[in-house]
């Protein structure tokens, strides 16, 4: 497979650390030093489905394809206003596409899972051109009185179009049953038959547990996929890590013995946008002309579950 188009979209409202400090017991200094985040884009009147569709349209335009050229749509999403139809169906409608479409939820690792599913569809001969859209609104999952979580997240959408090619050199995904370290529970519609006590539980995160798991799994996954691709860590041009926290990115760079300059980041501008973070970063680099033909990229993510994933991609500038 290879990526032939990227796109992204984000809400218009910018929430800075100083703005947060006006209603929470926090500070720009605390947030910046612990996370690297300076601001995030937060959904106000937008609907996530529209951001998802905008990112998809931009990726299609970048790929030089029309919606009817797409054989399959995969949307990665944790939460949005619609329980059904799927976000993929809503994007399908906005694009006037004609292919099957499905949502997946692998939390922040969703983009890597989606790439792997796309590759499997291609290898099975079931699809050639696949649209992957990762769209997330984690700011609707947190308690805005909880300074431990709400300062960390932002909303947005990132999309790619992939076609057949030999550019995905290695990929792996994992899941370990560690469901309590990062969890949100919602109350569904009542029925006459529900007797158990149910309460909404906004996003809870055991920050230090997640931190430890994130750095160790990212370093392990990256070493594995790079070896599987027949490469050395030093052969990799850029490492695009899930944009959750600058300290995690720097820690992983240190564990791999690599220069921090090889780890592009935009977490300072967007916060943690869950599975949208890597395709949003990829699109930013692509739009800035920073991705060159033949460059070796590593993508690596981790998230609730505890899911993880990584892959090695060779960047290609030709679209055929
Ligand atoms: O896709 C999901 C991925 N999630 C992550 O990547 C998160 C990984 N974890 C982390 O990045 C870090 O654990 C955090 C940034 C979430 C927290 O940093 P920490 O160094 O682990 O802080 P902590 O939770 O140990 O809290 C230290 C202190 C506490 O105060 P006391 O108990 O020492 O008095 C917290 O109450 O910092 C306090 N604190 C805050 N202070 C100001 C927690 N949040 C804030 C805040 N502003 N926003």
């Amino acid at each position: 497979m290879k990526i032939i188009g990227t796109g992204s979209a984000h809400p218009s409202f910018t929430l800075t650390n100083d703005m947060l400090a006006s209603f929470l017991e926090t500070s720009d200094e605390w947030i910046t030093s612990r996370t690297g985040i300076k601001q995030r884009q937060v959904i106000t009147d937008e609907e996530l489905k529209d951001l998802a569709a905008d990112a998809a349209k931009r990726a299609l335009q970048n790929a030089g394809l029309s919606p009817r050229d797409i054989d399959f749509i995969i949307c990665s999403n944790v939460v949005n206003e619609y329980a059904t139809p799927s976000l993929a169906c809503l994007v399908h409608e906005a694009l006037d596409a004609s292919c099957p479409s499905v949502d997946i939820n692998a939390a922040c690792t969703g983009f890597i899972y989606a790439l792997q599913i796309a590759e499997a569809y291609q290898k099975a001969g079931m699809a050639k051109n696949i649209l992957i859209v990762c769209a997330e609104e984690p700011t609707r999952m947190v308690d805005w009185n909880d300074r431990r979580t709400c300062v960390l997240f932002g909303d947005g959408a990132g999309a790619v179009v992939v076609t057949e090619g030999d550019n995905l050199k290695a990929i792996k995904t994992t899941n370990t049953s560690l469901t309590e370290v990062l969890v949100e529970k919602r109350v569904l519609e009542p029925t006459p038959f529900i007797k158990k006590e149910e309460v909404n539980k906004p996003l809870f995160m055991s920050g230090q547990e997640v931190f430890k798991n994130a750095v160790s799994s990212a370093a392990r996954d990256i070493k594995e996929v790079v070896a599987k691709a027949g490469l050395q860590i030093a052969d990799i041009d850029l490492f695009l890590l899930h944009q959750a926290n600058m300290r995690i990115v720097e820690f992983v760079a240190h564990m791999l013995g690599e220069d921090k300059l090889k780890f592009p980041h935009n977490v300072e501008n967007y916060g943690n946008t869950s599975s949208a973070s890597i395709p949003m970063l990829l699109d930013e680099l692509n739009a800035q002309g920073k991705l060159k033909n033949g460059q070796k990229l590593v993508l690596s993510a981790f998230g609730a579950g505890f899911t993880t994933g990584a892959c090695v991609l060779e960047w290609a500038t030709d679209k055929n």
Side-chain angles (χ1 to χ4, degrees):
M1 122 190 340
K2 70 177 172 187
I3 294 177
I4 54 166
T6 65
S8 60
H10 47 72
S12 56
F13 174 56
T14 305
L15 179 63
T16 64
N17 291 347
D18 285 335
M19 288 155 86
L20 279 167
S22 71
F23 64 91
L24 268 182
E25 204 180 311
T26 189
S27 64
D28 176 50
E29 196 283 325
W30 193 96
I31 301 170
T32 305
S33 62
R34 305 281 175 134
T35 71
I37 300 165
K38 299 295 287 182
Q39 62 179 45
R40 67 287 291 142
Q41 304 300 121
V42 172
I43 279 204
T44 52
D45 294 332
E46 298 99 342
E47 278 200 56
L48 191 66
K49 69 181 176 71
D50 298 326
L51 295 180
D54 284 350
K57 285 175 191 164
R58 287 171 191 154
L60 282 165
Q61 192 180 23
N62 186 234
L65 294 183
S66 76
R68 296 289 167 126
D69 297 322
I70 296 296
D71 305 312
F72 190 40
I73 299 174
I74 307 171
C75 275
S76 162
N77 171 257
V78 178
V79 161
N80 74 89
E81 287 167 276
Y82 290 81
T84 195
S86 69
L87 195 56
C89 288
L90 296 163
V91 169
H92 184 286
E93 183 176 53
L95 296 178
D96 191 24
S98 55
C99 59
S101 40
V102 71
D103 275 11
I104 63 163
N105 177 354
C108 305
T109 317
F111 184 54
I112 312 290
Y113 269 78
L115 284 174
Q116 195 176 40
I117 293 167
E119 191 203 27
Y121 262 69
Q122 286 180 341
K123 280 189 167 164
M126 290 163 65
K128 179 182 174 205
N129 300 324
I130 300 174
L131 171 66
I132 298 173
V133 187
C134 302
E136 305 279 11
E137 47 184 331
T139 68
R140 304 299 304 276
M141 299 168 68
V142 293
D143 172 357
W144 280 85
N145 295 308
D146 179 5
R147 66 179 184 174
R148 291 167 305 165
T149 51
C150 73
V151 305
L152 304 172
F153 296 95
D155 306 318
V160 301
V161 176
V162 301
T163 193
E164 286 165 345
D166 186 28
N167 295 49
L168 183 64
K169 301 300 181 187
I171 187 161
K172 76 168 277 199
T173 50
T174 78
N175 178 31
T176 43
S177 299
L178 203 60
T179 55
E180 298 299 320
V181 298
L182 194 46
V183 57
E184 187 206 357
K185 267 189 94 178
R186 282 167 296 171
V187 175
L188 304 180
E189 295 299 320
T191 81
F193 316 107
I194 296 288
K195 301 284 181 264
K196 64 191 169 189
E197 196 195 332
E198 294 185 309
V199 275
N200 270 314
K201 288 194 181 145
L203 190 78
F204 165 81
M205 181 169 67
S206 172
Q208 291 183 5
E209 277 291 299
V210 172
F211 196 101
K212 274 186 275 174
N213 279 288
V215 290
S216 58
S217 62
R220 177 203 63 207
D221 289 352
I222 291 170
K223 284 178 188 162
E224 264 185 56
V225 288
V226 169
K228 209 162 134 189
L231 298 169
Q232 308 286 329
I233 295 288
D235 297 328
I236 303 301
D237 297 290
L238 294 173
F239 297 84
L240 278 66
L241 268 51
H242 169 42
Q243 300 291 292
N245 182 319
M246 223 23 237
R247 277 165 65 220
I248 294 180
V249 174
E250 286 168 0
F251 220 92
V252 173
H254 175 72
M255 285 170 87
L256 296 173
E258 282 295 304
D259 194 324
K260 279 189 284 186
L261 289 174
K262 281 189 171 185
F263 291 71
H265 51 86
N266 60 10
V267 68
E268 59 277 18
N269 293 327
Y270 297 107
N272 180 347
T273 57
S274 188
S275 72
S277 84
I278 293 179
M280 278 170 61
L281 179 61
L282 199 60
D283 182 50
E284 189 171 299
L285 297 172
N286 194 21
Q288 292 168 349
K290 290 189 177 159
L291 301 176
K292 310 284 182 217
N293 198 47
Q295 264 182 342
K296 309 271 187 317
L297 313 182
V298 157
L299 315 182
S300 164
F302 56 86
F306 195 79
T307 58
T308 80
C311 68
V312 178
L313 272 174
E314 187 176 298
W315 192 253
T317 45
D318 72 296
K319 312 267 183 203
N320 305 308

